[in-house]
Amino acid sequence: MLAKIIACQPAAPGTAQLMVRLRGDTAILPDLTFTLCNNKQEYLQPDGDWSSAPHWFTVNGGYALANGSGFRIGPTLLDPLLATASQVQIQIKLPSGDTRNTTLQLVRDELLSSGARGETGDYSSSSMLTPPAPTAAPVAEAEAVVDPEPVVPVIHAEERPQQKSGPSRLPLIGAAVLSLVVIAGVLWWFLGRDKAPDVVPAVQAQQETPAAAPTPAPEPAAHNSCSAENLNDLNELDFVQSCVQEKFDSDKLLTIIQAAKEAKKCGIAQRLYANRAQGGDTKIALVYASEYDPKFHQPSECFKEPDKDTAAYWYETVLQTEPGNQTAKQRLEELGK
């Protein structure tokens, strides 16, 4: 399966075309039900946010487009897809009840978000006439405030000459205060100096007490949910999320993917492939490309038929991370991409 979002002709902000092409099926789909999932295993929601809860979108009015089925989409889908740097997996639900997964391709250079619409619409005659009104108001307010202020200093100036009798008592008050300070210092020297050292050990003892806190018990080892034994015990989303959190090396993850294929857990196998390949693991990306490459394809329940376009996409993903990868370059040349 190939899924791609391309621009409308002519291009319009906030609108695009979703093209889906099913291998071996040329019939035009009248409607399409699908989910969109990013690298973090979060699903796009109707409000534009991403959440761990899957949400199924449905678009109607299918038409022929690029040897597949086309559907017109709006900003609800287009804007969050353009805003995220993560590659996105699309899972569609066929009328038969079967599901198909692939990576959604976006022709970003040709697509415009709804934010590109009407950027010059804010300029108008009313906005130009608004500034003069507020500039006049502050001037009037400033003049009203300045008038009463000169009266205040006059009152203080007249009251100062009446208080000439006070300064004669200042030396007496100062002497009394100084005497009290001297007496307090003498009393502290004879009575309090000897007691001061006893306070320090008490404070230090209080500070050292927390150091004797009991050692916390070791945390129990986390249960490894990402294992072949749990393929039938966990739902698809929980199993994939547990494997993403484990961060296995490439060989260990390929073992889990192989077990998922043998157990016919195709959604798990494809999601694990895509998540790690999109994260820059070129070894996983090459193996994933070979699942679709006509030269290496081995029919299975999860990968029934080869798909040149999908294989080429994953080889190109390898070259984005490792531009000098000869295997990916050679396969793209032979695939005519």
Side-chain angles (χ1 to χ4, degrees), residues 189-271:
W189 178 262
F190 288 101
L191 299 178
R193 187 169 62 90
D194 295 335
K195 296 180 180 181
D198 297 336
V199 180
V200 177
V203 175
Q204 291 178 348
Q206 293 177 359
Q207 293 177 346
E208 293 173 358
T209 302
T215 304
E219 297 181 358
H223 178 64
N224 179 15
S225 301
C226 183
S227 63
E229 293 76 13
N230 289 324
L231 279 168
N232 295 318
D233 297 335
L234 298 177
N235 62 47
E236 178 177 316
L237 179 60
D238 290 342
F239 188 89
V240 171
Q241 288 180 337
S242 68
C243 292
V244 172
Q245 294 172 358
E246 289 292 342
K247 298 180 180 180
F248 289 136
D249 59 33
S250 302
D251 294 332
K252 176 65 175 178
L253 187 62
L254 286 173
T255 301
I256 299 296
I257 293 174
Q258 183 61 33
K261 290 168 56 180
E262 293 173 357
K264 298 181 181 180
K265 301 292 184 179
C266 302
I268 291 177
Q270 292 173 341
R271 288 181 184 276

Side-chain angles (χ1 to χ4, degrees), residues 145-170:
V145 174
V146 173
D147 292 338
E149 288 183 356
V151 181
V152 178
V154 175
I155 297 174
H156 291 293
E158 294 175 355
E159 293 178 355
R160 287 178 184 175
Q162 298 176 2
Q163 298 179 355
K164 294 183 179 180
S165 59
S168 61
R169 297 181 181 180
L170 290 178

Side-chain angles (χ1 to χ4, degrees), residues 2-198:
L2 178 65
K4 182 183 295 186
I5 292 183
I6 58 180
C8 298
Q9 298 299 329
T15 61
Q17 301 177 96
L18 170 60
M19 187 278 293
V20 174
R21 184 190 305 161
L22 302 177
R23 176 67 61 177
D25 188 353
T26 59
I28 304 301
L29 298 173
D31 50 60
L32 186 70
T33 300
F34 58 93
T35 64
L36 297 170
C37 182
N38 63 16
N39 279 352
K40 299 178 181 178
Q41 299 304 309
E42 296 173 337
Y43 293 85
L44 182 62
Q45 304 296 313
D47 60 0
D49 290 335
W50 298 84
S51 168
S52 59
H55 177 80
W56 292 91
F57 292 94
T58 299
V59 290
N60 303 312
Y63 52 89
L65 177 65
N67 298 323
S69 300
F71 300 89
R72 186 67 61 91
I73 63 173
T76 300
L77 294 174
L78 183 60
D79 285 357
L81 289 174
L82 290 177
T84 181
S86 167
Q87 291 184 335
V88 174
Q89 283 283 305
I90 180 172
Q91 181 181 37
I92 71 170
K93 185 183 296 183
L94 300 177
S96 62
D98 295 337
T99 58
R100 303 280 181 87
N101 294 73
T102 191
T103 299
L104 181 64
Q105 302 179 31
L106 278 76
V107 188
R108 293 180 178 270
D109 294 342
E110 301 176 2
L111 298 171
L112 299 173
S113 68
S114 60
R117 182 191 301 122
E119 293 182 350
T120 59
D122 295 333
Y123 297 96
S124 62
S125 58
S126 60
S127 64
M128 295 178 65
L129 295 175
T130 304
T135 55
V139 173
E141 292 176 359
E143 293 175 355
V145 174
V146 173
D147 292 338
E149 288 183 356
V151 181
V152 178
V154 175
I155 297 174
H156 291 293
E158 294 175 355
E159 293 178 355
R160 287 178 184 175
Q162 298 176 2
Q163 298 179 355
K164 294 183 179 180
S165 59
S168 61
R169 297 181 181 180
L170 290 178
L172 295 176
I173 296 174
V177 173
L178 180 60
S179 299
L180 291 175
V181 172
V182 171
I183 293 171
V186 171
L187 291 175
W188 177 85
W189 178 262
F190 288 101
L191 299 178
R193 187 169 62 90
D194 295 335
K195 296 180 180 181
D198 297 336

